[in-house]
Amino acid sequence: LGYGVLAVGLSFTSFAILSLLLHYPAGILADRFGSATTALIGLIAVALAMALIPFVRDLTTLLALMALFGVGHGFVFPSASSLVTRGSDPGQHGLVTGLLYALLVLGVAIGAPAMGAVASGSNYGFGIWASAWIALLGIAFLARAVLSTSESAAVAPAARILVNASCP
């Protein structure tokens, strides 16, 4: 995007620091207000930062947007781990957490070159902007997970009533 090495290094540092500082508080917020809410905040922050980064031309705004990206990153990861473990049987927590992180690494392994290909076909700004749409797709998957969880939670009490009623 025309930034020098120092600007890029500083921007990634602001991202990393905010992400690191927010993992613990985001985990607490996920426990208090629900993992889906915290993950949604994170995905919106990531999408917003990625969508706006190609349009900034000054270092201060770039640092602010990369910090916003760090906030999103710091909120998404504890929430995603929590969502997967809460939605699985206790005996499967290791398996589903392993699958989550395997899919995460796969997404990076495929996503980075894919967005690089998009960028090389147009320009770097468009490649970064297009990455924001992946976060929006994540919001759609999150909504589906929340809806399916709330549906099964609504059915569970009714099923317990039927089971209790049929047992003498």
Side-chain angles (χ1 to χ4, degrees):
L1 298 177
Y3 293 102
V5 205
L6 179 63
V8 172
L10 286 172
S11 68
F12 276 97
T13 299
S14 70
F15 150 75
I17 289 171
L18 263 292
S19 178
L20 176 69
L21 291 175
L22 288 173
H23 272 81
Y24 181 73
I28 292 170
L29 290 173
D31 288 340
R32 283 205 183 128
F33 301 107
S35 301
T37 302
T38 313
L40 180 63
I41 291 168
L43 287 170
I44 290 171
V46 165
L48 189 60
M50 293 300 283
L52 294 176
I53 285 172
F55 301 108
V56 301
R57 296 292 165 240
D58 63 293
L59 181 59
T60 305
T61 309
L62 177 64
L63 292 175
L65 286 175
M66 285 300 286
L68 179 64
F69 186 77
V71 168
H73 188 273
F75 271 60
V76 165
F77 282 90
S79 303
S81 294
S82 178
L83 279 169
V84 222
T85 56
R86 287 181 184 167
S88 66
D89 293 327
Q92 301 286 315
H93 285 181
L95 174 68
V96 296
T97 302
L99 284 173
L100 169 71
Y101 285 99
L103 289 172
L104 171 70
V105 171
L106 180 66
V108 171
I110 293 172
M115 288 301 109
V118 168
S120 70
S122 54
N123 63 52
Y124 293 120
F126 182 75
I128 294 170
W129 180 83
S131 298
W133 291 93
I134 303 302
L136 294 174
L137 180 63
I139 292 171
F141 282 120
L142 178 62
R144 182 178 182 273
V146 168
L147 290 175
S148 66
T149 302
S150 63
E151 288 172 4
S152 62
V155 171
R160 275 193 297 269
I161 291 169
L162 289 173
V163 168
N164 290 339
S166 64
C167 295

